[in-house]
Amino acid sequence: MEVQITNENFEALKNGELPLVLDFWATWCGPCRMVSPILSELAEKYDGKIIVGKCDVEENEELAAEFGIRNIPTILFFKGGAQVDKLVGAQSKAKFEEKIEALL
């Protein structure tokens, strides 16, 4: 499942039953546009096992600041309400799958 993450819904999704893969991105970011279809595909592949969240850093500055996001895309991995991993920059589909498998 893929959802839009906002300052308002983040806590509920982070502390939910399913692990959360949180993509911090912006519309003007080229590498973000490269990563987006990969994460969408993985959201479908792992539907019911993970939640893939998309957080626009310009619309949710508080959340980006909370995690010290300085470069995008930055992808954070949460399990049981805690951040367990992080990737910065465009990555391969295989690298994302490796991190997701580690969450399951």
Side-chain angles (χ1 to χ4, degrees):
M1 174 184 357
E2 193 172 36
V3 297
Q4 295 299 321
I5 301 290
T6 64
N7 295 322
E8 291 76 32
N9 71 0
F10 170 69
E11 286 296 323
L13 290 168
K14 177 185 83 162
N15 294 314
E17 239 176 70
L18 299 177
L20 173 64
V21 177
L22 178 53
D23 176 21
F24 285 94
W25 68 286
T27 55
W28 49 263
C29 169
C32 298
R33 288 193 303 266
M34 292 169 42
V35 165
S36 186
I38 294 170
L39 291 176
S40 293
E41 185 180 326
L42 293 173
E44 285 184 35
K45 179 178 179 177
Y46 291 95
D47 189 38
K49 296 180 181 177
I50 65 166
I51 294 173
V52 173
K54 308 280 289 172
C55 182
D56 186 324
V57 295
E58 292 185 331
E59 293 178 6
N60 300 283
E61 293 176 2
E62 291 172 27
L63 199 51
E66 180 181 335
F67 289 99
I69 304 301
R70 301 219 187 313
N71 299 303
I72 52 174
T74 293
I75 295 85
L76 303 181
F77 299 83
F78 294 89
K79 186 171 186 173
Q83 181 183 334
V84 296
D85 212 341
K86 175 181 182 175
L87 287 173
V88 178
Q91 305 285 329
S92 68
K93 181 179 174 184
K95 187 66 171 176
F96 287 119
E97 283 186 299
E98 173 188 318
K99 298 291 186 178
I100 288 169
E101 287 292 332
L103 286 176
L104 303 177

